Amino acid sequence: MVEAKDIIQLLRLQRHDLMNDLQIVHGYLSMGKTEKVKTKLNEIIDGFNQERFLMNINCPHFALWLIQVNLEHKHIQFTYSIHTENRNLHDYDLMLTNIGQTVIEIIIEDDLDIVTGSLELRESKDSIDLVIIINDQTIDYNKWKYKLSEKLENVLIQAEEQESNIIFVFSISLPD
């Protein structure tokens, strides 16, 4: 169960990041760099829009996990995008959270310095897919796929290397 102190800490961290972004905007404004201001403001707005999409899929545990991961693990930074038809994914909440936590556990086990990447949640007519792309890492993705398969039941896992990125696709079958 999530405790109030954990939520307060999350809000503090989010507020800190927002203040940093606003200080950057303020700095650009004071230097007259309006194009940089526009770019930074668009990034902030896009981030809040993605967060809104995340909140609308009705996966509170997954949403909380995803927001916390970047704030709690400074050496792990993932962007995310949600591509669903505002579907209620509540039934998949704990499974999506478990997938994400398992990936983070493996990153920590492998003692990787800085990990950047992206998560994409998308749906098709027969599955919910969580796509995790890890940028520029020299990890053994076959070893990771094996570890992930051991820990995650009822999830089809595909892994491939594309350029210097590792792409994992976790597919959860939807009922017929």
Side-chain angles (χ1 to χ4, degrees), residues 15-61:
R15 181 185 169 281
H16 178 265
D17 285 353
L18 180 58
M19 287 300 295
N20 284 344
D21 287 339
L22 291 174
Q23 286 173 344
I24 290 169
V25 168
H26 185 266
Y28 286 149
L29 273 175
S30 68
M31 293 184 286
K33 296 184 176 187
T34 56
E35 283 306 310
K36 290 197 178 248
V37 169
K38 288 177 188 175
T39 300
K40 187 64 178 175
L41 286 175
N42 284 335
E43 288 174 12
I44 294 168
I45 290 167
D46 289 344
F48 279 114
N49 278 330
Q50 283 304 313
E51 196 171 282
R52 181 174 47 89
F53 294 144
L54 179 62
M55 299 304 162
N56 285 341
I57 61 172
N58 195 20
C59 290
H61 293 95

Side-chain angles (χ1 to χ4, degrees), residues 148-165:
L148 290 163
S149 296
E150 280 187 323
K151 296 180 179 194
L152 299 170
E153 297 178 15
N154 303 321
V155 178
L156 173 65
I157 303 170
Q158 299 171 30
E160 68 177 89
E161 190 170 12
Q162 196 174 80
E163 297 175 13
S164 61
N165 298 327

Side-chain angles (χ1 to χ4, degrees), residues 8 44 57-58 71 85 90-91 94 110 147-148 155 174:
I8 294 299
I44 294 168
I57 61 172
N58 195 20
L71 296 172
E85 298 296 319
H90 186 267
D91 293 343
L94 295 179
D110 278 9
K147 283 182 177 181
L148 290 163
V155 178
L174 296 173

